[in-house]
Amino acid sequence: SNPGNILTENALPLVRAVEANLQCTSAYTTYCFKEGGTGSCRSMASLAPIFFKGGPSLFSRCPAQADSMLETPPLESILDAIAQDGAGTGFVETQFSVDDPASRVLVTHLLFRGASSRLTSYLTKELLPNLLGESKGNFRVSVWNQEIADYSILEALASDARLAAAGFAVVVLLVGFATRSALLTLAAFLCILLSFPLSYWCYTVLLGVARTPLLNFFGAFVIVGIGCDGVFL
């Protein structure tokens, strides 16, 4: 009755399949967070297993096996219990309640150990494309992780930087043409370029901000435009 609801008998098996298949990949078992002393991956934090007969134990058998949904209790009863208990509401939309036990989103938390260049490479080059590739029809898989977010920003920044370099060269030529002075043009753009390391030093040393978000680098394009206006003042 609710086409945007993922908590249905048609949509939940898709979530179950994505989770099960992911945990059976060799790369996931390499980088997952291990239970102390067991060497086994800690189970994903997910509501999906409680709707199925295999439960969390299904993930210990690879390759992933087909699983069927519980017939008793029925799906409606399980959702009602989740809504009343409130323990699982962090995995669904905030409006999920006894009166409206529906959600367009079902969150799964994947646990990985530590931080390393290899883990980042796995998250961005393998995990992200594989999960996004699970989207089909109205079923969409989205991924959020700080390393993945930084990687996506870097990709966009690298692409924009090439265009910015070409634009910067054109701006230099236009300013030089307008001022008719190579010395004034070079001095002006030297000041603009020197503003980047100076602002970074103020940001990290004077203000004590240890982490510089990658989005800050997009400000470089704005500074070039503002600096060019200043040349003619």
Side-chain angles (χ1 to χ4, degrees):
S1 60
N2 187 349
N5 183 21
I6 198 171
L7 303 175
T8 65
E9 294 181 354
N10 292 328
L12 284 170
L14 297 177
V15 178
R16 180 67 160 167
V18 171
E19 294 178 352
N21 290 332
L22 173 62
Q23 290 209 30
C24 283
T25 60
S26 59
Y28 178 81
T29 56
T30 299
Y31 297 108
C32 68
F33 186 86
K34 303 291 196 305
E35 295 283 2
T38 65
S40 300
C41 294
R42 180 176 292 183
S43 298
M44 297 177 181
S46 171
L47 285 182
I50 68 176
F51 298 101
F52 292 85
K53 295 178 180 179
S57 63
L58 178 73
F59 292 147
S60 64
R61 304 192 298 273
C62 294
Q65 301 179 18
D67 196 11
S68 56
M69 295 187 67
L70 291 171
E71 297 176 0
T72 305
L75 176 62
E76 292 76 12
S77 298
I78 299 176
L79 293 175
D80 185 64
I82 294 173
Q84 291 187 33
D85 181 77
T89 53
F91 297 90
V92 292
E93 289 185 301
T94 54
Q95 80 274 4
F96 179 86
S97 64
V98 175
D99 296 328
D100 184 22
S103 176
R104 294 170 299 174
V105 176
L106 187 60
V107 177
T108 299
H109 296 281
L110 310 180
L111 305 177
F112 297 98
R113 56 179 175 83
S116 65
S117 57
R118 290 184 177 182
L119 173 59
T120 300
S121 178
Y122 162 68
L123 293 175
T124 56
K125 302 294 179 60
E126 185 171 343
L127 178 69
L128 179 61
N130 287 346
L131 287 180
L132 295 181
E134 295 285 354
S135 298
K136 57 189 72 173
N138 293 326
F139 179 71
R140 293 286 184 269
V141 179
S142 301
V143 184
W144 191 92
N145 169 273
Q146 189 59 57
E147 286 79 7
I148 291 177
D150 288 346
Y151 170 78
S152 300
I153 294 173
L154 274 176
E155 287 286 295
L157 185 61
S159 176
D160 291 344
R162 290 188 288 270
L163 296 175
F168 187 82
V170 172
V171 171
V172 171
L173 293 175
L174 291 176
V175 171
F177 178 79
T179 60
R180 297 293 197 277
S181 171
L183 179 61
L184 178 60
T185 301
L186 292 177
F189 281 94
L190 179 61
C191 291
I192 294 173
L193 293 174
L194 288 177
S195 68
F196 300 138
L198 177 60
S199 60
Y200 180 78
W201 181 83
C202 292
Y203 187 76
T204 56
V205 178
L206 294 184
L207 298 180
V209 181
R211 188 174 186 276
T212 304
L214 291 173
L215 282 175
N216 285 3
F217 290 98
F218 287 103
F221 309 138
V222 179
I223 293 173
V224 171
I226 296 175
C228 290
D229 291 339
V231 174
F232 299 102
L233 296 178

